[in-house]
Amino acid sequence: MKTELVAHHRPKAARRGTPWSRIRKGWQLYVMLALPVLFIVIFSYVPMYGAQIAFKDFVINKSIWGSEWVGLKHFNRFIHSYDFWRLLRNTISISMYSLLAGFPFPILLALSLNYVGKTWFKKSVQMITYAPYFISVVVMVGILFELLDPRKGIVNHAITALGFEPIQFLAKAEWFQSIYVWSGVWQLVGFSCIIYLAALASIDPALHEAAVIDGANKMRRIWHVDLPGIMPVAVILLIINMGHMLDVGYEKILLMQNSLNLSTSEVIDTYVYKVALNSPGMNYSYSTMIGLFKSVINLTLLIAVNGIARRLKQSSLW
Amino acid sequence: MDNRTIRELGGDRWFTITNYIILSLFLLSVLYPLLYVLSASFSSSHAIVSGKVWIYPVDFTLDGYKAVFNHRLIWSGFRNSLFYMAVGTAINVALTVLAAYPLSRKDLYGRNAVMFLFVFTTMFSGGLIPFYLLVRNMGMLDTVWAMLLPGALGVWNMVITRTYFQTSLPDELLEAAQLDGCSDFSFVARVAIPLSMPVLAVITLFYAVGHWNQYFNAFIFLKSENLYPLQIVLREILIQNNVNVGMLATVVDVQSAAEREGLSNLLKYSLIVVATLPLMIIYPFVQKHFVKGVMIGSLKG
């Protein structure tokens, strides 16, 4: 896992001959690569090049090159804007909340599944817990709207049946982040546990046998064998998650947003969309700057956390 | 000695009981909302609104489904989504294999550099607006191409496939094929692909799910109603609450405003079921490959 995630894998075998002879011998491989590389260059690297409009005053009828350089104007405007701290606070709090709530459950599920003797039970739990992963964001939010409806929804039927007042879940800013995060946990728990199951399956059975001979019960085997065994995977996932700290599921948030919960639901990504594509101003440069600000912070965090993990002799991306 | 063994067995029995309880809790908390939505879709709207539906359908009816299948936009959305899914997934899988195989070859000169080119895009991006402007400048706005080409190569899927090739195709196999005069092209077509069906099944499923569930690209790139995928139609109905019940009134007999509202409510539950069912039917067939495909692809190497 750790070496595979990034291209720093050094094969020992099959490094023979001069570069030119190797290229000529494997020319068909380069033909195969041409199309995918072309795609990634067009759809990922051209936008990176286009991100220079963050430092320009881009007008839609001029080209990217024809627009005037304005330096850090949009950056300064953003960090001094009224929205800046609110956006940052909401983005980080949703992100941290998701991370904390989303981390333990897949691990718990994987550990539990790992000790189930009855195959049919294990299979059905896996099958059913994966299922929500296949529900689209739109349908997911649709389900939330129906179930949490103050008059018609089952959640409020249950609340009123217990003698409490119905709650306007989606109209209350304080509920927004919890609904967003826990519906996400519900949707992803089964799917996220696959990778831990894989890690558990790759633990050397001899370790378990040795532990049993030493008289360890199952609880101790989890603690001394299983948890250390999935640690590298957990660390890698943590690093990747840190690298997406400022990316939150804007597709879902945009659907769940309304004017009443905006104070806790507006995040950087939704703001980027609104400033450029959903406002009369069409402020492309400003919006691009905000997006770029986000990407740079994400990359910095990724490098920093990866560095810390390396320092601590944990698994790391590179 | 004996004493200790017995005590530990006792401890493990509690462990097993707790374990089954934990798993049952997981099972129930995931299953119940799904079951409720399914039951509600077969219940009368009155039973849903007054809170009579808890587990199984109450006042069984198919009105919701009748309403769904008579909604013009839902049909065209379904058709469009199927098209985007089929063609889009084919492009995705082809590109993924074309990238993954050469990068799995240890003798490829410049392998690390090309790999970095791909993986870097998962860590840094130009952002939404430059991406939007690119699609716009390429003249793909409001065309089917906007739904098929951008993001046609998933880097993670490519990495999984590449690792699978690396671990499941031994070097000896390639050497033997090369001795027989097999070119790289025919090795991919005749050996690598047939031997990698589990991982191909898994990435096909991932890509297909991605296309079926995709709404944001359609949302920003498409304007014409006749190109809308199902998810956009769902957004209109489920999120914007834009149900044209008047149009449905001819199918199911509704007169009062309350009945109309009830029907639109019922329609939503049925619609959720209809929109999700195709994937729920397909994925159990691919699930058995998850282990082989994802586990080998993501962990070893």
Side-chain angles (χ1 to χ4, degrees), chain B:
Chain B
M1 178 68 200
D2 265 358
N3 232 346
R4 223 180 75 190
T5 329
I6 287 163
R7 205 179 63 232
E8 274 164 13
L9 279 177
D12 277 353
R13 196 163 64 231
W14 280 111
F15 176 91
T16 306
I17 292 167
T18 323
N19 200 22
Y20 274 97
I21 292 173
I22 290 174
L23 284 178
S24 307
L25 286 176
F26 269 114
L27 190 67
L28 287 178
S29 50
V30 172
L31 187 60
Y32 181 70
L34 296 174
L35 195 66
Y36 175 80
V37 169
L38 187 64
S39 296
S41 74
F42 287 108
S43 303
S44 78
S45 59
H46 178 73
I48 302 171
V49 174
S50 57
K52 285 187 193 132
V53 182
W54 290 103
I55 294 173
Y56 42 84
V58 176
D59 301 342
F60 185 87
T61 168
L62 290 173
D63 283 357
Y65 289 94
K66 278 186 203 151
V68 167
F69 288 113
N70 279 288
H71 200 291
R72 181 179 55 87
L73 272 180
I74 293 175
W75 273 114
S76 75
F78 216 91
R79 220 175 31 238
N80 287 337
S81 280
L82 274 178
F83 172 77
Y84 297 142
M85 181 167 82
V87 180
T89 307
I91 298 174
N92 294 146
V93 174
L95 280 176
T96 305
V97 171
L98 284 178
Y101 180 72
L103 290 169
S104 77
R105 283 277 294 267
K106 296 186 186 91
D107 55 345
L108 181 82
Y109 183 75
R111 177 168 99 133
N112 288 345
V114 179
M115 197 62 197
F116 181 77
L117 191 76
F118 282 100
V119 175
F120 184 69
T121 63
T122 66
M123 306 182 210
F124 189 81
S125 81
L128 177 68
I129 303 308
F131 182 65
Y132 174 83
L133 289 175
L134 170 77
V135 173
R136 193 192 143 104
N137 290 342
M138 292 177 85
M140 298 200 296
L141 278 193
D142 209 22
T143 66
V144 291
W145 300 111
M147 297 301 292
L148 301 174
L149 297 184
L153 183 93
V155 172
W156 288 122
N157 287 334
M158 192 277 282
V159 171
I160 290 175
T161 315
R162 178 189 93 124
T163 314
Y164 194 92
F165 283 148
Q166 272 175 356
T167 48
S168 68
L169 304 174
D171 290 345
E172 294 76 25
L173 199 61
L174 178 66
E175 280 160 23
Q178 280 172 339
L179 280 178
D180 290 342
C182 177
S183 70
D184 289 328
F185 289 148
S186 53
F187 186 79
V188 172
R190 295 198 199 148
V191 183
I193 291 176
L195 284 180
S196 307
M197 281 306 165
V199 78
L200 294 181
V202 172
I203 64 163
T204 303
L205 178 75
F206 286 168
Y207 280 128
V209 171
H211 282 289
W212 186 260
N213 288 343
Q214 164 67 29
Y215 97 93
F216 194 72
N217 282 1
F219 183 57
I220 58 175
F221 293 145
L222 299 182
K223 294 277 172 295
S224 320
E225 218 175 49
N226 62 334
L227 295 178
Y228 280 175
L230 185 61
Q231 299 298 326
I232 294 290
V233 182
L234 293 175
R235 179 178 169 273
E236 291 274 307
I237 296 173
L238 296 176
I239 314 291
Q240 311 286 80
N241 201 13
N242 220 342
V243 193
N244 194 346
V245 183
M247 203 173 79
L248 303 169
T250 47
V251 189
V252 187
D253 191 31
V254 279
Q255 276 102 26
S256 68
E259 276 180 58
R260 280 184 181 202
E261 205 206 306
L263 181 63
S264 87
N265 193 32
L266 184 56
L267 167 90
K268 289 180 188 170
Y269 281 109
S270 311
L271 188 54
I272 289 170
V273 175
V274 171
T276 315
L277 214 56
L279 297 180
M280 295 285 172
I281 292 172
I282 300 170
Y283 100 89
F285 293 102
V286 185
Q287 198 205 344
K288 64 172 190 282
H289 295 306
F290 276 1
V291 184
K292 265 191 194 158
V294 178
M295 288 191 185
I296 295 179
S298 62
L299 280 174
K300 297 197 181 141

